[in-house]
Amino acid sequence: MAQIGLKPALERVAAEIDRNFDLLLPVPEDPRARLFHAMRHAAIGGGKRMRPLLVCAACDLFNVDRAAALRVATAIECIHVYSLVHDDLPCMDDDDMRRGRPTVHIQFDEATAVLAGDSLHALAFELLADEATHADPFVRIELVRELARASGPSGMAGGQAMDLAAEHETFDLSTVTRLQQLKTGALIGFCLEAAAIMGHVPAEGRTRLRGYARDIGLAFQIADDLLDVEGDEAAVGKPLHKDEAAGKATFVSLLGVERARQQASMLVDQAIAHLSSFGAEAGLLRAVARYVVERDR
C-alpha cells in the first residue's frame, strides 16, 4: 500500500471500511432495524477516512497483516463516527448536516442517534477484543486500553468537554492547543500507536511515531479552523463559521489566518522529519501529512 499514491490509497481504504461496516451491520428483521439503519447511515459512505488510512499506512511500516490492520482501522472509525453522531446532537453542536447529508438525529430521531452512537462505541471494542484482530491476547488488551484512553476523559471526550466550555470561557493559545490535542489529536495518536502495538514495537521505540501523530493532529485542526473561515460549505459538507458565531477561540482567531497557515505548514514539516529513519515504506505517511493541510474538506 505504501507504494501507491494518496488518492488511490484513500479510495481503497474507504471502500474497505464501507465493506466492513456493511458486513458488520446487517439489518435484522426485528424492532432493532431502525437502530441498524441509523448506524449504517452514520458509518457507510462519506467522510475522509483519514484515521483508517493512518492505521493502514503505519501498519505498512511493520508488515502487519492487512486484514488485521483493517479491523483496527474499522474500530477507530467506529469511535470517530460515534463522536460525530453525538457531537451533532442538539445538546452539543446542534448540526443538521454531516458529510453532505442529514445528521442521524435529523434523519431518524434524537433517541435513535444516541443509541446509534452508543452502539458504534461498543462495536469498536468488540472488534479489538476479537481473536480475528490479533492472535496475541496481550496485543488485543493493549489495543483496547489505548483506544479507551484516547476516547475518554483523557482524550477525545475530555477535549469535547473543553470545547463546550469554550462557549462560555475565554481560552488562550495554550488552552486551545490542549483542547485540540485531546479532542482531535488523541485518536490520531492511537492510529500510530495501534500499528506499533501490532508490530510489537516496545514503548520506548514509539517516540518518533508519537511525534508524527502529535504534529499532524495539530496541523489537521489548524487546517479545519482555516476551512471554517475560508472553506466552501458544499465541499466541506457541513455548516461553516459556527465557532466564530459561538465566540470560541480557535487557532485562526488567536493567530490570524496567515500565522495559522504558517504554523500548520511548520507542523507538517516536523511530522515528516519524525519519519527520517524510515525509507520508502513511510511514503504514504508523508503524503498524509501533506494532505492534512492541502485538503478542501
Side-chain angles (χ1 to χ4, degrees), residues 62-270:
F62 310 113
N63 297 313
V64 174
D65 177 71
R66 177 76 179 179
L70 281 169
R71 288 181 65 85
V72 175
T74 305
I76 188 69
E77 194 68 0
C78 283
I79 294 293
H80 177 55
V81 173
Y82 120 75
S83 76
L84 299 181
V85 174
H86 283 190
D87 193 42
D88 290 336
L89 289 167
C91 62
M92 300 278 273
D93 276 1
D94 194 14
D95 279 321
D96 293 345
M97 295 294 293
R98 169 72 65 179
R99 296 175 170 176
R101 57 190 179 188
T103 50
V104 176
H105 72 276
I106 295 294
Q107 184 73 19
F108 297 89
D109 56 77
E110 287 183 37
T112 301
V114 170
L115 291 173
D118 291 346
S119 298
L120 286 163
H121 181 277
L123 179 59
F125 296 99
E126 183 180 345
L127 283 168
L128 295 186
D130 195 301
E131 287 185 9
T133 298
H134 204 284
D136 186 340
F138 293 99
V139 167
R140 298 200 303 274
I141 196 61
E142 190 174 0
L143 288 170
V144 167
R145 182 186 64 193
E146 290 303 321
L147 185 55
R149 182 180 296 160
S151 305
S154 296
M156 184 192 66
Q160 184 63 51
M162 291 180 70
D163 194 42
L164 291 172
E167 296 180 9
H168 312 289
E169 301 178 29
T170 302
F171 285 0
D172 59 15
L173 184 59
S174 64
T175 307
V176 169
T177 300
R178 178 60 176 158
L179 185 166
Q180 301 301 349
Q181 285 174 330
L182 296 176
K183 183 181 177 183
T184 304
L187 287 184
I188 288 176
F190 171 79
C191 297
L192 281 294
E193 197 81 14
I197 291 168
M198 289 192 290
H200 296 286
V201 178
E204 61 271 18
R206 303 174 192 174
T207 303
R208 289 184 177 273
L209 292 179
R210 289 170 177 169
Y212 169 91
R214 180 189 63 243
D215 288 340
I216 68 161
L218 284 176
F220 183 89
Q221 187 56 50
I222 294 172
D224 255 13
D225 289 352
L226 287 165
L227 283 172
D228 193 57
V229 173
E230 303 178 319
D232 177 78
E233 197 164 287
V236 175
K238 63 180 180 179
L240 301 180
H241 310 293
K242 292 200 68 175
D243 287 341
E244 182 182 0
K248 291 182 182 179
T250 67
F251 287 113
V252 172
S253 69
L254 292 169
L255 296 173
V257 169
E258 286 310 313
R259 277 190 64 201
R261 188 175 284 113
Q262 290 168 8
Q263 184 71 15
S265 180
M266 183 194 73
L267 287 164
V268 167
D269 289 343
Q270 286 182 183

Side-chain angles (χ1 to χ4, degrees), residues 14-41:
E16 288 168 321
I17 294 298
D18 279 354
R19 191 177 306 118
N20 275 2
F21 278 128
D22 187 45
L23 293 171
L24 289 164
L25 299 172
V27 178
E29 296 182 4
D30 61 33
R32 295 173 299 155
R34 184 175 178 83
L35 170 61
F36 276 80
H37 279 300
M39 294 170 71
R40 292 174 66 89
H41 178 83

